[in-house]
Amino acid sequence: MRRRHLLALAPVAALAACTPEDPRSPASTGASNAGGEEPGTDPTTEATTAPPSPAELLLAELSPRELAGQLVLVGIPAGSEIPSEVLSEHHAGGIFLLQVWESADAVDSMIATAHEGSRPDLPPLIAVDQEGGQVRMLRGDAARRTPSAEELGAQGPRAVTEAYTSIGEDLSARGIQVALAPVADVVDPDLGRANGPVGALGRGFGTDPEAVGDCVVAATEALAAQGVAATLKHFPGLGRVEENTDFSAAGIEDPVTDAGDPFLESFRAGIGAGAGLVMMSSAIYPRLEPDVPAMFSAAAVEDLLRGELGFSGLVVSDDVGAAEAVASVPVPERATRLLAAGGDVVLTADASLTGELVDAIQDWADQGEEQARRVRESAGRMLALKEELGLLEQ
């Protein structure tokens, strides 16, 4: 089942444009006389305007602080609580569940708290890393076990569909709208398990771009069938780096990937299947933009992902809170550089940074018209995704 999500429509930051009646239609050519016009006359064409969507209405009334807050997703470790200010003062766009959650009751309680702490007409987006294999944040009675992507890739798309249907059912049952999955990275066969972030952990569907793409499509569509949005990660691919960007700032350079790389085809396939989100890598790709992590690179986000691959959905960062790859970047810049590059939302595994990140986005929006436009555009994408996933009142 392929879906056409509303993020593929016109930018949500502006209200729908007036659409004049087609001049070739019967009403405008006089071919029909049902309205009493004399044959051959040209009746006045009246422009019609589509009513604003719930996302557009909400976007128009949010305060600058609320707009900025929508662009931050905050990680909440198992066994902890959401700091009250994350939602009440900083208006975070949502949360994602960290570490291993064994209890369905604990997950349900956390999600209920997130909703209670948010503005009633602006519910939080709830996300979780649930790839299968070693990367399953929900376990025990919170979610069923599913095989790793490596195992599923060896079996083919039908096995992927079965596993990701299970994942989608479990997330939907808990009130979780976004899977931070599937991994669309193609592992370099010359690296194999020496590829720290993907190959070493069995997180990739394989080494052939076409086969990986088929599995990514199967995962994306299976999640969508359960009302859960897929997140393709980690663009433009972590399959050629040796070290994990969560734990290292060295060994995270990919000297091969460029705009014509066949390893991008798995991402293209997932986008075509209707994935609602793409997560940017924090690795460096010199053939795209030297010395700049992909999440901060306009060449990677704006030119390649949005321009070449045509993605119009929500672009999110990999972790900017605790990841070693961005530890040297000042906290405020971790948010504003992503936005300047064309991205939308930062994820932080360190909840204590929420206020600083939201402050940075709000201050950046105050610096000029272009910055304010970017923040509203990204907030619009977040709200449009929430609407599509049934979170906003119709």
Side-chain angles (χ1 to χ4, degrees):
M1 165 180 146
R2 292 184 183 270
R3 64 174 183 158
R4 180 185 174 195
H5 52 69
L6 62 81
L7 293 176
L9 304 179
V12 294
L15 297 180
C18 296
T19 304
E21 191 174 36
D22 187 343
R24 297 167 295 177
S25 68
S28 59
T29 59
S32 170
N33 197 32
E37 296 289 343
E38 291 296 326
T41 63
D42 292 324
T44 301
T45 300
E46 293 185 3
T48 59
T49 303
S53 68
E56 291 167 340
L57 289 170
L58 194 53
L59 180 67
E61 67 173 68
L62 294 185
S63 70
R65 185 70 176 178
E66 289 169 326
L67 289 171
Q70 287 303 294
L71 306 186
V72 180
L73 288 181
V74 182
I76 306 298
S80 67
E81 297 183 355
I82 305 173
S84 60
E85 67 274 11
V86 163
L87 298 170
S88 63
E89 297 176 25
H90 307 317
H91 309 287
I95 63 169
F96 59 103
L97 305 182
L98 288 171
Q99 301 175 356
V100 175
W101 297 68
E102 297 274 0
S103 164
D105 287 344
V107 174
D108 294 347
S109 176
M110 174 61 65
I111 293 173
T113 299
H115 281 269
E116 290 165 3
S118 300
R119 176 172 156 172
D121 61 346
L122 186 56
L125 193 71
I126 312 294
V128 67
D129 276 295
Q130 196 75 2
E131 301 171 10
Q134 295 185 52
V135 184
R136 292 180 296 119
M137 303 302 102
L138 303 188
R139 304 190 183 192
D141 68 353
R144 291 163 284 181
R145 185 194 182 281
T146 49
S148 70
E150 183 177 68
E151 296 173 90
L152 294 171
Q155 297 174 54
R158 183 172 298 180
V160 176
T161 296
E162 182 178 348
Y164 270 81
T165 296
S166 172
I167 290 172
E169 288 172 347
D170 290 345
L171 268 55
S172 181
R174 302 271 70 82
I176 298 171
Q177 301 87 27
V178 172
L180 298 175
V183 170
D185 306 325
V186 179
V187 176
D188 184 341
D190 292 335
L191 280 177
R193 293 200 174 276
N195 169 238
V198 182
L201 301 173
R203 299 173 70 196
F205 290 117
T207 60
D208 175 71
E210 183 175 357
V212 172
D214 290 343
C215 291
V216 168
V217 169
T220 299
E221 293 182 341
L223 290 171
Q226 304 305 318
V228 176
T231 306
L232 309 179
K233 59 186 190 184
H234 312 77
F235 191 83
L238 284 176
R240 291 194 179 102
V241 304
E242 294 184 4
E243 300 298 328
N244 190 323
T245 55
D246 286 341
F247 311 119
S248 179
I252 60 169
E253 189 169 290
D254 173 351
V256 177
T257 297
D258 60 16
D261 185 7
F263 279 24
L264 297 174
E265 292 308 305
S266 53
F267 288 95
R268 192 188 303 273
I271 291 168
L277 305 89
V278 170
M279 177 182 288
M280 298 300 300
S281 157
S282 50
I284 295 171
Y285 304 82
R287 297 186 69 175
L288 294 176
E289 188 169 354
D291 304 320
V292 179
M295 67 171 71
F296 301 145
S297 168
V301 181
E302 198 63 47
D303 299 341
L304 184 55
L305 178 58
R306 294 213 189 276
E308 182 65 26
L309 271 64
F311 182 66
S312 59
L314 200 71
V315 175
V316 303
S317 74
D318 205 340
D319 175 45
V320 302
E324 189 63 29
V326 296
S328 65
V329 179
V331 171
E333 291 184 23
R334 299 177 199 176
T336 59
R337 289 179 65 183
L338 176 93
L339 288 164
D344 300 308
V345 173
V346 289
L347 279 65
T348 175
D350 183 349
S352 71
L353 299 181
T354 306
E356 195 170 355
L357 290 167
V358 176
D359 286 345
I361 295 169
Q362 187 175 356
D363 291 345
W364 190 72
D366 289 338
Q367 291 179 14
E369 185 176 333
E370 175 59 22
Q371 290 91 329
R373 183 196 66 79
R374 278 293 301 113
V375 168
R376 290 186 64 81
E377 178 181 56
S378 290
R381 289 194 184 105
M382 169 61 92
L383 296 178
L385 179 64
K386 288 185 175 184
E387 179 182 335
E388 182 187 7
L389 296 172
L391 285 172
L392 301 188
E393 296 179 1
Q394 299 295 318

